[in-house]
């Protein structure tokens, strides 16, 4: 069976930055509350007329450029998003055409904040089974469009953005990885992905609209405290599941690249797992919770600033509405 390599990444944040202070001028909140409860300092908000597909396109183009891959050789484009341009067609098909993909297929995956992990898992399955050679996986969101800007308990938490990776078939032994690593996790690439959902908890985090229910778009509604409680437990458990599946230990993790929702959730998960802060990629301060875009955004920032290097063992994890949660171990 083949192994999926992540051969490059890219990201895009809309130009407009909205600081906590700016929000505090329009709703009853403070920079101190937002920073101490979430670690968020600012978020990016898409310009009028700038759509999820536009953000996805820019992140996708940057990932292709970073990978040295031509759009024409991409077989499959998977877009993880909860904020599609339209109810249908899949936003991924719009990106497929604009990016210059001439072969293959494109579709969207919807798992809210876990969307990137779910999309990566789908890409990995297609590549491992030999159905696809090169897959562009994008997470892109314009959450600003589904926020109730009068609800201070949710509107301060989210932002817009996009991140992408290129997944390509390999044999796991690129860069002579087997000389460096031993055990059943030899070599480079996606070692495994682990997905979960539990629909009992749909009412903890949802949008109160939709084509079938209200024929309107609706707004994000969340029981933050309960989501928080589930997040730390579920994330620690799925991280251990991923490590066990690869006979690896918590101390083998080079970098934890978590979904960037809240610094306190990330700190809590790291603490539960005994992973020091120095091994955790934290970017939520710069872009808030960008849902499916947050992991590839954090990954791209840490790859470009030189923290993540070839050969590092990465643990990606996320939890979101559904509830959905998942993890992936990647040898970079
Ligand atoms: O990607 C997954 C998606 N979601 C998440 O990961 C979010 C998970 N949950 C959280 O991050 C946290 O629960 C929040 C950041 C949303 C809230 O933090 P908390 O410590 O759980 O606060 P809380 O909801 O218990 O609210 C505490 C107080 C309340 O006031 P009272 O009832 O104690 O008087 C809220 O009304 O804080 C108040 N509050 C605010 N105050 C100032 C809520 N939002 C704000 C705000 N500014 N923006």
């Amino acid at each position: 069976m083949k192994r999926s390599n992540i051969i490059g990444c890219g990201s895009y944040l809309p130009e407009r930055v909205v600081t906590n202070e700016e929000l505090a001028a329009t709703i009853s909140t403070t920079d101190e509350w937002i920073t101490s409860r979430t670690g968020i300092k600012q978020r990016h908000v898409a310009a009028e007329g700038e759509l999820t597909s536009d953000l996805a396109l820019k992140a996708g183009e940057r990932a292709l450029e970073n990978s040295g891959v031509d759009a024409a050789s991409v077989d499959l484009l998977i877009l993880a998003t909860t904020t599609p341009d339209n109810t249908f067609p899949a936003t991924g098909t719009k990106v497929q055409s604009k990016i210059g993909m001439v072969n293959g297929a494109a579709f969207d995956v919807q798992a809210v904040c876990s969307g990137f992990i779910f999309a990566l898992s789908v890409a990995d399955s297609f590549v491992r089974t030999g159905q696809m050679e090169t897959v562009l996986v994008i997470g892109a969101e314009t959450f600003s469009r589904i926020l109730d800007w009068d609800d201070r308990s949710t509107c301060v938490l989210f932002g817009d953005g996009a991140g992408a990776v290129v997944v390509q078939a390999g044999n796991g032994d690129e860069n002579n990885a087997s000389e460096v690593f031993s055990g059943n996790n030899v070599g480079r690439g996606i070692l495994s992905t682990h997905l979960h959902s539990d629909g009992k908890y749909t009412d903890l985090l949802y949008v109160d609209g939709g084509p079938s229910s209200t024929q309107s778009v609706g707004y994000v509604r969340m029981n933050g405290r309960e989501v928080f409680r589930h997040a730390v437990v579920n994330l620690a458990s799925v991280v251990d599941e991923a490590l066990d599946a690869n006979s690896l230990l918590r101390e083998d993790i080079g970098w934890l690249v978590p979904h960037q929702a809240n610094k306190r959730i990330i700190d809590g998960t790291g603490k539960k797992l005994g992973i020091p802060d120095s091994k955790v990629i934290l970017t939520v301060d710069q872009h808030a919770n960008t849902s499916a875009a947050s992991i590839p955004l954090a990954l791209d920032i840490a790859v470009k600033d030189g923290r993540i290097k070839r050969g590092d063992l990465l643990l990606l994890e996320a939890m979101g509405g559904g509830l959905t949660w998942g993890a992936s171990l990647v040898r970079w």
Side-chain angles (χ1 to χ4, degrees):
M1 184 129 25
K2 293 194 177 191
R3 174 77 68 81
S4 315
N5 284 332
I6 299 181
I7 61 166
C9 53
S11 64
Y12 171 77
L13 287 163
E15 238 170 73
R16 181 160 172 246
V17 172
V18 177
T19 62
N20 291 348
E21 285 82 3
E22 270 180 87
L23 285 181
T26 59
I27 51 164
S28 173
T29 191
T30 58
D31 172 48
E32 198 282 322
W33 191 95
I34 302 172
T35 307
S36 63
R37 301 286 177 131
T38 71
I40 296 164
K41 295 300 290 181
Q42 61 177 42
R43 71 282 300 137
H44 292 246
V45 174
E48 209 183 320
E50 191 177 28
L51 307 184
T52 293
S53 60
D54 299 316
L55 274 53
L57 177 65
K58 286 187 172 131
E61 283 173 342
R62 289 174 184 181
L64 288 178
E65 193 186 335
N66 179 251
S67 311
V69 166
D70 190 69
S73 59
V74 174
D75 304 306
L76 177 65
L77 185 155
I78 308 175
L79 174 63
T81 189
T82 301
T83 47
D85 291 5
N86 299 94
T87 303
F88 81 83
T91 303
T93 57
K94 255 168 123 175
V95 182
Q96 174 191 27
S97 145
K98 287 186 179 169
I99 213 162
M101 239 180 97
V102 287
N103 299 311
F107 57 82
D108 293 358
V109 160
Q110 217 281 47
V112 206
C113 298
S114 312
F116 182 76
I117 299 286
F118 277 59
L120 193 67
S121 180
V122 174
D124 184 39
S125 303
F126 274 112
V127 169
R128 276 181 191 262
T129 54
Q131 285 190 72
M132 301 287 177
E133 186 76 17
T134 306
V135 186
L136 180 58
V137 182
I138 309 176
E141 303 278 15
T142 46
F143 248 66
S144 63
R145 307 267 157 73
I146 55 166
L147 293 175
D148 174 353
W149 288 96
D150 291 325
D151 176 7
R152 67 176 185 174
S153 70
T154 52
C155 76
V156 303
L157 304 175
F158 296 90
D160 301 338
V165 297
V166 177
V167 174
Q168 197 165 60
N171 59 17
D173 199 25
E174 287 77 9
N175 298 346
N176 297 320
S178 59
E179 289 171 15
V180 185
F181 309 108
S182 59
N184 67 352
N185 51 72
V186 163
R188 207 184 134 186
I190 298 172
L191 304 186
S192 62
T193 59
H194 305 268
L195 307 183
H196 293 274
S197 63
D198 190 342
K200 275 202 302 291
Y201 300 108
T202 47
D203 58 342
L204 296 185
L205 177 52
Y206 64 101
V207 162
D208 61 3
S212 180
S213 57
T214 61
Q215 298 81 58
S216 65
V217 174
Y219 294 118
V220 174
R221 304 294 175 205
M222 178 169 69
N223 179 337
R225 212 174 278 181
E226 277 301 298
V227 173
F228 194 114
R229 201 172 59 79
H230 283 277
V232 176
V233 175
N234 290 344
L235 291 172
S237 143
V238 77
V239 165
D240 277 340
E241 179 187 327
L243 290 168
D244 286 350
N246 293 281
S247 307
L248 287 163
L249 303 171
R250 291 170 174 185
E251 47 270 36
D252 293 324
I253 297 173
W255 290 104
L256 182 68
V257 189
H259 165 49
Q260 308 285 320
N262 181 322
K263 182 176 183 303
R264 283 162 56 219
I265 294 180
I266 296 172
D267 287 349
T269 310
K271 204 164 162 199
K272 207 166 182 345
L273 292 165
I275 300 170
D277 292 351
S278 59
K279 287 184 167 188
V280 179
I281 304 296
L282 192 74
T283 58
V284 68
D285 55 319
Q286 300 169 46
H287 53 70
N289 183 348
T290 56
S291 185
S294 93
I295 290 179
L297 259 167
L299 185 68
D300 190 46
I301 291 169
V303 167
K304 303 288 160 61
D305 71 21
R307 274 177 291 174
I308 294 177
K309 296 186 180 59
R310 277 279 166 242
D312 286 349
L313 184 69
L314 314 184
L315 195 303
L316 319 180
E317 47 86 335
M319 199 198 84
L323 295 174
T324 54
W325 65 102
S328 178
L329 264 169
V330 177
R331 181 78 70 187
W332 190 251

